[in-house]
PDB file of all heavy atoms in Angstrom:
ATOM      1  N   MET A 158     110.264 109.727 101.730  1.00  0.00           N
ATOM      2  CA  MET A 158     110.436 108.418 102.367  1.00  0.00           C
ATOM      3  C   MET A 158     111.895 108.170 102.735  1.00  0.00           C
ATOM      4  O   MET A 158     112.207 107.717 103.849  1.00  0.00           O
ATOM      5  CB  MET A 158     109.947 107.328 101.413  1.00  0.00           C
ATOM      6  CG  MET A 158     109.923 105.943 102.009  1.00  0.00           C
ATOM      7  SD  MET A 158     110.253 104.676 100.784  1.00  0.00           S
ATOM      8  CE  MET A 158     111.972 104.969 100.457  1.00  0.00           C
ATOM      9  N   PHE A 159     112.822 108.499 101.821  1.00  0.00           N
ATOM     10  CA  PHE A 159     114.246 108.332 102.110  1.00  0.00           C
ATOM     11  C   PHE A 159     114.682 109.235 103.267  1.00  0.00           C
ATOM     12  O   PHE A 159     115.490 108.829 104.108  1.00  0.00           O
ATOM     13  CB  PHE A 159     115.078 108.640 100.859  1.00  0.00           C
ATOM     14  CG  PHE A 159     115.087 107.542  99.852  1.00  0.00           C
ATOM     15  CD1 PHE A 159     114.658 107.776  98.548  1.00  0.00           C
ATOM     16  CD2 PHE A 159     115.499 106.255 100.183  1.00  0.00           C
ATOM     17  CE1 PHE A 159     114.655 106.763  97.601  1.00  0.00           C
ATOM     18  CE2 PHE A 159     115.490 105.242  99.243  1.00  0.00           C
ATOM     19  CZ  PHE A 159     115.079 105.492  97.953  1.00  0.00           C
ATOM     20  N   CYS A 160     114.130 110.430 103.320  1.00  0.00           N
ATOM     21  CA  CYS A 160     114.480 111.363 104.413  1.00  0.00           C
ATOM     22  C   CYS A 160     114.022 110.816 105.765  1.00  0.00           C
ATOM     23  O   CYS A 160     114.774 110.824 106.745  1.00  0.00           O
ATOM     24  CB  CYS A 160     113.849 112.729 104.154  1.00  0.00           C
ATOM     25  SG  CYS A 160     114.562 113.633 102.774  1.00  0.00           S
ATOM     26  N   ILE A 161     112.777 110.337 105.834  1.00  0.00           N
ATOM     27  CA  ILE A 161     112.261 109.793 107.099  1.00  0.00           C
ATOM     28  C   ILE A 161     113.061 108.571 107.522  1.00  0.00           C
ATOM     29  O   ILE A 161     113.427 108.428 108.703  1.00  0.00           O
ATOM     30  CB  ILE A 161     110.766 109.435 106.949  1.00  0.00           C
ATOM     31  CG1 ILE A 161     109.937 110.683 106.692  1.00  0.00           C
ATOM     32  CG2 ILE A 161     110.254 108.724 108.207  1.00  0.00           C
ATOM     33  CD1 ILE A 161     108.484 110.407 106.357  1.00  0.00           C
ATOM     34  N   PHE A 162     113.338 107.686 106.569  1.00  0.00           N
ATOM     35  CA  PHE A 162     114.106 106.478 106.888  1.00  0.00           C
ATOM     36  C   PHE A 162     115.505 106.845 107.389  1.00  0.00           C
ATOM     37  O   PHE A 162     115.995 106.258 108.369  1.00  0.00           O
ATOM     38  CB  PHE A 162     114.199 105.587 105.651  1.00  0.00           C
ATOM     39  CG  PHE A 162     114.927 104.291 105.884  1.00  0.00           C
ATOM     40  CD1 PHE A 162     114.320 103.255 106.581  1.00  0.00           C
ATOM     41  CD2 PHE A 162     116.219 104.111 105.415  1.00  0.00           C
ATOM     42  CE1 PHE A 162     114.994 102.063 106.810  1.00  0.00           C
ATOM     43  CE2 PHE A 162     116.896 102.930 105.635  1.00  0.00           C
ATOM     44  CZ  PHE A 162     116.281 101.894 106.337  1.00  0.00           C
ATOM     45  N   SER A 163     116.140 107.825 106.772  1.00  0.00           N
ATOM     46  CA  SER A 163     117.478 108.249 107.192  1.00  0.00           C
ATOM     47  C   SER A 163     117.449 108.829 108.605  1.00  0.00           C
ATOM     48  O   SER A 163     118.322 108.532 109.432  1.00  0.00           O
ATOM     49  CB  SER A 163     118.038 109.287 106.215  1.00  0.00           C
ATOM     50  OG  SER A 163     118.112 108.765 104.909  1.00  0.00           O
ATOM     51  N   VAL A 164     116.432 109.640 108.887  1.00  0.00           N
ATOM     52  CA  VAL A 164     116.306 110.223 110.229  1.00  0.00           C
ATOM     53  C   VAL A 164     116.131 109.128 111.276  1.00  0.00           C
ATOM     54  O   VAL A 164     116.747 109.163 112.352  1.00  0.00           O
ATOM     55  CB  VAL A 164     115.120 111.214 110.269  1.00  0.00           C
ATOM     56  CG1 VAL A 164     114.809 111.626 111.711  1.00  0.00           C
ATOM     57  CG2 VAL A 164     115.431 112.454 109.434  1.00  0.00           C
ATOM     58  N   LEU A 165     115.289 108.136 110.974  1.00  0.00           N
ATOM     59  CA  LEU A 165     115.059 107.042 111.923  1.00  0.00           C
ATOM     60  C   LEU A 165     116.334 106.241 112.166  1.00  0.00           C
ATOM     61  O   LEU A 165     116.637 105.867 113.312  1.00  0.00           O
ATOM     62  CB  LEU A 165     113.957 106.125 111.399  1.00  0.00           C
ATOM     63  CG  LEU A 165     112.533 106.681 111.434  1.00  0.00           C
ATOM     64  CD1 LEU A 165     111.579 105.769 110.665  1.00  0.00           C
ATOM     65  CD2 LEU A 165     112.055 106.843 112.875  1.00  0.00           C
ATOM     66  N   VAL A 166     117.095 105.985 111.102  1.00  0.00           N
ATOM     67  CA  VAL A 166     118.340 105.226 111.249  1.00  0.00           C
ATOM     68  C   VAL A 166     119.354 106.005 112.082  1.00  0.00           C
ATOM     69  O   VAL A 166     120.006 105.454 112.973  1.00  0.00           O
ATOM     70  CB  VAL A 166     118.921 104.880 109.862  1.00  0.00           C
ATOM     71  CG1 VAL A 166     120.330 104.307 109.999  1.00  0.00           C
ATOM     72  CG2 VAL A 166     118.020 103.886 109.143  1.00  0.00           C
ATOM     73  N   ILE A 167     119.477 107.299 111.812  1.00  0.00           N
ATOM     74  CA  ILE A 167     120.424 108.136 112.569  1.00  0.00           C
ATOM     75  C   ILE A 167     120.029 108.196 114.046  1.00  0.00           C
ATOM     76  O   ILE A 167     120.872 108.072 114.938  1.00  0.00           O
ATOM     77  CB  ILE A 167     120.495 109.550 111.957  1.00  0.00           C
ATOM     78  CG1 ILE A 167     121.126 109.492 110.568  1.00  0.00           C
ATOM     79  CG2 ILE A 167     121.293 110.493 112.863  1.00  0.00           C
ATOM     80  CD1 ILE A 167     121.034 110.790 109.797  1.00  0.00           C
ATOM     81  N   LEU A 168     118.737 108.377 114.301  1.00  0.00           N
ATOM     82  CA  LEU A 168     118.274 108.413 115.688  1.00  0.00           C
ATOM     83  C   LEU A 168     118.488 107.071 116.380  1.00  0.00           C
ATOM     84  O   LEU A 168     118.817 107.019 117.565  1.00  0.00           O
ATOM     85  CB  LEU A 168     116.791 108.788 115.733  1.00  0.00           C
ATOM     86  CG  LEU A 168     116.438 110.251 115.437  1.00  0.00           C
ATOM     87  CD1 LEU A 168     114.927 110.436 115.448  1.00  0.00           C
ATOM     88  CD2 LEU A 168     117.079 111.174 116.472  1.00  0.00           C
ATOM     89  N   ASP A 169     118.288 105.982 115.639  1.00  0.00           N
ATOM     90  CA  ASP A 169     118.471 104.656 116.222  1.00  0.00           C
ATOM     91  C   ASP A 169     119.927 104.428 116.639  1.00  0.00           C
ATOM     92  O   ASP A 169     120.190 103.725 117.613  1.00  0.00           O
ATOM     93  CB  ASP A 169     118.036 103.591 115.216  1.00  0.00           C
ATOM     94  CG  ASP A 169     118.030 102.200 115.809  1.00  0.00           C
ATOM     95  OD1 ASP A 169     117.409 102.008 116.874  1.00  0.00           O
ATOM     96  OD2 ASP A 169     118.652 101.294 115.219  1.00  0.00           O
ATOM     97  N   VAL A 170     120.852 105.026 115.902  1.00  0.00           N
ATOM     98  CA  VAL A 170     122.281 104.884 116.232  1.00  0.00           C
ATOM     99  C   VAL A 170     122.678 105.803 117.378  1.00  0.00           C
ATOM    100  O   VAL A 170     123.433 105.414 118.274  1.00  0.00           O
ATOM    101  CB  VAL A 170     123.143 105.170 114.983  1.00  0.00           C
ATOM    102  CG1 VAL A 170     124.631 105.179 115.349  1.00  0.00           C
ATOM    103  CG2 VAL A 170     122.873 104.128 113.906  1.00  0.00           C
ATOM    104  N   THR A 171     122.156 107.023 117.362  1.00  0.00           N
ATOM    105  CA  THR A 171     122.566 108.027 118.355  1.00  0.00           C
ATOM    106  C   THR A 171     121.671 108.027 119.596  1.00  0.00           C
ATOM    107  O   THR A 171     122.154 107.957 120.720  1.00  0.00           O
ATOM    108  CB  THR A 171     122.560 109.424 117.713  1.00  0.00           C
ATOM    109  OG1 THR A 171     121.250 109.681 117.161  1.00  0.00           O
ATOM    110  CG2 THR A 171     123.605 109.507 116.612  1.00  0.00           C
ATOM    111  N   ILE A 172     120.357 108.122 119.370  1.00  0.00           N
ATOM    112  CA  ILE A 172     119.401 108.175 120.495  1.00  0.00           C
ATOM    113  C   ILE A 172     118.299 107.148 120.225  1.00  0.00           C
ATOM    114  O   ILE A 172     117.244 107.489 119.673  1.00  0.00           O
ATOM    115  CB  ILE A 172     118.780 109.581 120.647  1.00  0.00           C
ATOM    116  CG1 ILE A 172     119.854 110.667 120.557  1.00  0.00           C
ATOM    117  CG2 ILE A 172     118.036 109.703 121.977  1.00  0.00           C
ATOM    118  CD1 ILE A 172     119.300 112.066 120.511  1.00  0.00           C
ATOM    119  N   PRO A 173     118.512 105.884 120.573  1.00  0.00           N
ATOM    120  CA  PRO A 173     117.517 104.842 120.272  1.00  0.00           C
ATOM    121  C   PRO A 173     116.122 105.131 120.831  1.00  0.00           C
ATOM    122  O   PRO A 173     115.122 104.810 120.193  1.00  0.00           O
ATOM    123  CB  PRO A 173     118.121 103.586 120.910  1.00  0.00           C
ATOM    124  CG  PRO A 173     119.590 103.869 120.997  1.00  0.00           C
ATOM    125  CD  PRO A 173     119.713 105.337 121.228  1.00  0.00           C
ATOM    126  N   ALA A 174     116.076 105.737 122.012  1.00  0.00           N
ATOM    127  CA  ALA A 174     114.769 106.028 122.621  1.00  0.00           C
ATOM    128  C   ALA A 174     113.973 107.010 121.767  1.00  0.00           C
ATOM    129  O   ALA A 174     112.739 106.919 121.673  1.00  0.00           O
ATOM    130  CB  ALA A 174     114.962 106.592 124.028  1.00  0.00           C
ATOM    131  N   ALA A 175     114.666 107.956 121.136  1.00  0.00           N
ATOM    132  CA  ALA A 175     113.982 108.934 120.291  1.00  0.00           C
ATOM    133  C   ALA A 175     113.393 108.263 119.054  1.00  0.00           C
ATOM    134  O   ALA A 175     112.279 108.590 118.620  1.00  0.00           O
ATOM    135  CB  ALA A 175     114.957 110.037 119.885  1.00  0.00           C
ATOM    136  N   ALA A 176     114.137 107.318 118.469  1.00  0.00           N
ATOM    137  CA  ALA A 176     113.625 106.586 117.303  1.00  0.00           C
ATOM    138  C   ALA A 176     112.386 105.775 117.677  1.00  0.00           C
ATOM    139  O   ALA A 176     111.401 105.736 116.929  1.00  0.00           O
ATOM    140  CB  ALA A 176     114.710 105.674 116.744  1.00  0.00           C
ATOM    141  N   THR A 177     112.429 105.131 118.839  1.00  0.00           N
ATOM    142  CA  THR A 177     111.277 104.353 119.306  1.00  0.00           C
ATOM    143  C   THR A 177     110.075 105.244 119.545  1.00  0.00           C
ATOM    144  O   THR A 177     108.942 104.904 119.185  1.00  0.00           O
ATOM    145  CB  THR A 177     111.634 103.599 120.589  1.00  0.00           C
ATOM    146  OG1 THR A 177     112.781 102.771 120.354  1.00  0.00           O
ATOM    147  CG2 THR A 177     110.482 102.728 121.052  1.00  0.00           C
ATOM    148  N   SER A 178     110.306 106.402 120.169  1.00  0.00           N
ATOM    149  CA  SER A 178     109.213 107.345 120.437  1.00  0.00           C
ATOM    150  C   SER A 178     108.596 107.856 119.139  1.00  0.00           C
ATOM    151  O   SER A 178     107.376 108.010 119.034  1.00  0.00           O
ATOM    152  CB  SER A 178     109.731 108.525 121.263  1.00  0.00           C
ATOM    153  OG  SER A 178     110.239 108.094 122.507  1.00  0.00           O
ATOM    154  N   LEU A 179     109.433 108.117 118.148  1.00  0.00           N
ATOM    155  CA  LEU A 179     108.934 108.589 116.856  1.00  0.00           C
ATOM    156  C   LEU A 179     108.083 107.514 116.179  1.00  0.00           C
ATOM    157  O   LEU A 179     107.024 107.815 115.601  1.00  0.00           O
ATOM    158  CB  LEU A 179     110.111 108.978 115.965  1.00  0.00           C
ATOM    159  CG  LEU A 179     109.808 109.862 114.748  1.00  0.00           C
ATOM    160  CD1 LEU A 179     109.241 111.203 115.204  1.00  0.00           C
ATOM    161  CD2 LEU A 179     111.064 110.085 113.927  1.00  0.00           C
ATOM    162  N   MET A 180     108.528 106.271 116.262  1.00  0.00           N
ATOM    163  CA  MET A 180     107.746 105.171 115.692  1.00  0.00           C
ATOM    164  C   MET A 180     106.402 105.038 116.403  1.00  0.00           C
ATOM    165  O   MET A 180     105.362 104.858 115.756  1.00  0.00           O
ATOM    166  CB  MET A 180     108.533 103.872 115.807  1.00  0.00           C
ATOM    167  CG  MET A 180     109.700 103.749 114.849  1.00  0.00           C
ATOM    168  SD  MET A 180     109.192 103.516 113.124  1.00  0.00           S
ATOM    169  CE  MET A 180     108.430 101.907 113.209  1.00  0.00           C
ATOM    170  N   ASN A 181     106.412 105.122 117.720  1.00  0.00           N
ATOM    171  CA  ASN A 181     105.177 104.997 118.493  1.00  0.00           C
ATOM    172  C   ASN A 181     104.219 106.151 118.208  1.00  0.00           C
ATOM    173  O   ASN A 181     102.996 105.961 118.188  1.00  0.00           O
ATOM    174  CB  ASN A 181     105.494 104.941 119.985  1.00  0.00           C
ATOM    175  CG  ASN A 181     106.217 103.668 120.377  1.00  0.00           C
ATOM    176  OD1 ASN A 181     106.109 102.653 119.691  1.00  0.00           O
ATOM    177  ND2 ASN A 181     106.963 103.710 121.461  1.00  0.00           N
ATOM    178  N   PHE A 182     104.777 107.340 117.994  1.00  0.00           N
ATOM    179  CA  PHE A 182     103.928 108.502 117.736  1.00  0.00           C
ATOM    180  C   PHE A 182     103.157 108.343 116.432  1.00  0.00           C
ATOM    181  O   PHE A 182     101.970 108.690 116.351  1.00  0.00           O
ATOM    182  CB  PHE A 182     104.781 109.770 117.688  1.00  0.00           C
ATOM    183  CG  PHE A 182     103.995 111.008 117.319  1.00  0.00           C
ATOM    184  CD1 PHE A 182     103.182 111.636 118.255  1.00  0.00           C
ATOM    185  CD2 PHE A 182     104.046 111.520 116.033  1.00  0.00           C
ATOM    186  CE1 PHE A 182     102.438 112.760 117.912  1.00  0.00           C
ATOM    187  CE2 PHE A 182     103.306 112.642 115.683  1.00  0.00           C
ATOM    188  CZ  PHE A 182     102.508 113.262 116.636  1.00  0.00           C
ATOM    189  N   PHE A 183     103.797 107.816 115.407  1.00  0.00           N
ATOM    190  CA  PHE A 183     103.148 107.680 114.100  1.00  0.00           C
ATOM    191  C   PHE A 183     102.421 106.348 113.930  1.00  0.00           C
ATOM    192  O   PHE A 183     101.860 106.091 112.849  1.00  0.00           O
ATOM    193  CB  PHE A 183     104.179 107.847 112.975  1.00  0.00           C
ATOM    194  CG  PHE A 183     104.597 109.267 112.747  1.00  0.00           C
ATOM    195  CD1 PHE A 183     105.821 109.732 113.206  1.00  0.00           C
ATOM    196  CD2 PHE A 183     103.751 110.156 112.097  1.00  0.00           C
ATOM    197  CE1 PHE A 183     106.201 111.042 113.007  1.00  0.00           C
ATOM    198  CE2 PHE A 183     104.124 111.472 111.891  1.00  0.00           C
ATOM    199  CZ  PHE A 183     105.355 111.922 112.349  1.00  0.00           C
ATOM    200  N   GLU A 184     102.410 105.503 114.942  1.00  0.00           N
ATOM    201  CA  GLU A 184     101.759 104.196 114.837  1.00  0.00           C
ATOM    202  C   GLU A 184     100.272 104.290 114.480  1.00  0.00           C
ATOM    203  O   GLU A 184      99.787 103.545 113.613  1.00  0.00           O
ATOM    204  CB  GLU A 184     101.938 103.419 116.150  1.00  0.00           C
ATOM    205  CG  GLU A 184     101.427 101.987 116.107  1.00  0.00           C
ATOM    206  CD  GLU A 184     102.270 101.075 115.223  1.00  0.00           C
ATOM    207  OE1 GLU A 184     103.426 101.442 114.916  1.00  0.00           O
ATOM    208  OE2 GLU A 184     101.777 100.016 114.841  1.00  0.00           O
ATOM    209  N   PRO A 185      99.472 105.197 115.101  1.00  0.00           N
ATOM    210  CA  PRO A 185      98.052 105.288 114.710  1.00  0.00           C
ATOM    211  C   PRO A 185      97.862 105.650 113.242  1.00  0.00           C
ATOM    212  O   PRO A 185      96.983 105.102 112.573  1.00  0.00           O
ATOM    213  CB  PRO A 185      97.511 106.401 115.628  1.00  0.00           C
ATOM    214  CG  PRO A 185      98.439 106.430 116.793  1.00  0.00           C
ATOM    215  CD  PRO A 185      99.784 106.084 116.245  1.00  0.00           C
ATOM    216  N   ALA A 186      98.680 106.561 112.729  1.00  0.00           N
ATOM    217  CA  ALA A 186      98.566 106.940 111.315  1.00  0.00           C
ATOM    218  C   ALA A 186      98.920 105.773 110.401  1.00  0.00           C
ATOM    219  O   ALA A 186      98.255 105.554 109.379  1.00  0.00           O
ATOM    220  CB  ALA A 186      99.486 108.130 111.027  1.00  0.00           C
ATOM    221  N   LEU A 187      99.927 105.003 110.772  1.00  0.00           N
ATOM    222  CA  LEU A 187     100.343 103.863 109.954  1.00  0.00           C
ATOM    223  C   LEU A 187      99.261 102.783 109.946  1.00  0.00           C
ATOM    224  O   LEU A 187      98.995 102.160 108.911  1.00  0.00           O
ATOM    225  CB  LEU A 187     101.657 103.288 110.481  1.00  0.00           C
ATOM    226  CG  LEU A 187     102.846 104.263 110.515  1.00  0.00           C
ATOM    227  CD1 LEU A 187     104.076 103.592 111.096  1.00  0.00           C
ATOM    228  CD2 LEU A 187     103.135 104.798 109.122  1.00  0.00           C
ATOM    229  N   LEU A 188      98.614 102.564 111.090  1.00  0.00           N
ATOM    230  CA  LEU A 188      97.522 101.590 111.145  1.00  0.00           C
ATOM    231  C   LEU A 188      96.326 102.062 110.319  1.00  0.00           C
ATOM    232  O   LEU A 188      95.640 101.251 109.679  1.00  0.00           O
ATOM    233  CB  LEU A 188      97.107 101.355 112.597  1.00  0.00           C
ATOM    234  CG  LEU A 188      98.038 100.486 113.436  1.00  0.00           C
ATOM    235  CD1 LEU A 188      97.550 100.426 114.881  1.00  0.00           C
ATOM    236  CD2 LEU A 188      98.129  99.079 112.871  1.00  0.00           C
ATOM    237  N   PHE A 189      96.073 103.366 110.337  1.00  0.00           N
ATOM    238  CA  PHE A 189      94.986 103.919 109.525  1.00  0.00           C
ATOM    239  C   PHE A 189      95.258 103.682 108.042  1.00  0.00           C
ATOM    240  O   PHE A 189      94.365 103.254 107.289  1.00  0.00           O
ATOM    241  CB  PHE A 189      94.850 105.422 109.809  1.00  0.00           C
ATOM    242  CG  PHE A 189      93.827 106.117 108.951  1.00  0.00           C
ATOM    243  CD1 PHE A 189      92.496 106.164 109.342  1.00  0.00           C
ATOM    244  CD2 PHE A 189      94.180 106.717 107.743  1.00  0.00           C
ATOM    245  CE1 PHE A 189      91.548 106.794 108.549  1.00  0.00           C
ATOM    246  CE2 PHE A 189      93.247 107.339 106.941  1.00  0.00           C
ATOM    247  CZ  PHE A 189      91.929 107.384 107.347  1.00  0.00           C
ATOM    248  N   ILE A 190      96.468 103.962 107.607  1.00  0.00           N
ATOM    249  CA  ILE A 190      96.833 103.764 106.197  1.00  0.00           C
ATOM    250  C   ILE A 190      96.745 102.284 105.836  1.00  0.00           C
ATOM    251  O   ILE A 190      96.240 101.919 104.759  1.00  0.00           O
ATOM    252  CB  ILE A 190      98.245 104.310 105.938  1.00  0.00           C
ATOM    253  CG1 ILE A 190      98.256 105.835 106.086  1.00  0.00           C
ATOM    254  CG2 ILE A 190      98.738 103.912 104.545  1.00  0.00           C
ATOM    255  CD1 ILE A 190      99.636 106.451 106.055  1.00  0.00           C
ATOM    256  N   GLN A 191      97.210 101.424 106.726  1.00  0.00           N
ATOM    257  CA  GLN A 191      97.158  99.986 106.462  1.00  0.00           C
ATOM    258  C   GLN A 191      95.720  99.490 106.387  1.00  0.00           C
ATOM    259  O   GLN A 191      95.373  98.650 105.544  1.00  0.00           O
ATOM    260  CB  GLN A 191      97.906  99.234 107.564  1.00  0.00           C
ATOM    261  CG  GLN A 191      97.937  97.727 107.371  1.00  0.00           C
ATOM    262  CD  GLN A 191      98.595  97.003 108.538  1.00  0.00           C
ATOM    263  OE1 GLN A 191      99.233  97.620 109.389  1.00  0.00           O
ATOM    264  NE2 GLN A 191      98.426  95.701 108.590  1.00  0.00           N
ATOM    265  N   ARG A 192      94.854 100.043 107.232  1.00  0.00           N
ATOM    266  CA  ARG A 192      93.465  99.601 107.274  1.00  0.00           C
ATOM    267  C   ARG A 192      92.701  99.966 106.005  1.00  0.00           C
ATOM    268  O   ARG A 192      91.887  99.193 105.502  1.00  0.00           O
ATOM    269  CB  ARG A 192      92.782 100.244 108.492  1.00  0.00           C
ATOM    270  CG  ARG A 192      91.396  99.692 108.793  1.00  0.00           C
ATOM    271  CD  ARG A 192      90.733 100.511 109.863  1.00  0.00           C
ATOM    272  NE  ARG A 192      89.600  99.825 110.454  1.00  0.00           N
ATOM    273  CZ  ARG A 192      88.572 100.452 111.018  1.00  0.00           C
ATOM    274  NH1 ARG A 192      88.547 101.762 111.051  1.00  0.00           N
ATOM    275  NH2 ARG A 192      87.578  99.771 111.543  1.00  0.00           N
TER     276      ARG A 192
END
Side-chain angles (χ1 to χ4, degrees):
M158 187 212 70
F159 282 123
C160 290
I161 295 173
F162 182 75
S163 301
V164 169
L165 288 170
V166 170
I167 293 171
L168 287 177
D169 187 52
V170 174
T171 56
I172 314 172
T177 304
S178 299
L179 197 62
M180 287 289 294
N181 292 336
F182 176 77
F183 284 103
E184 186 70 18
L187 301 178
L188 284 176
F189 176 87
I190 293 171
Q191 181 184 347
R192 190 188 197 206

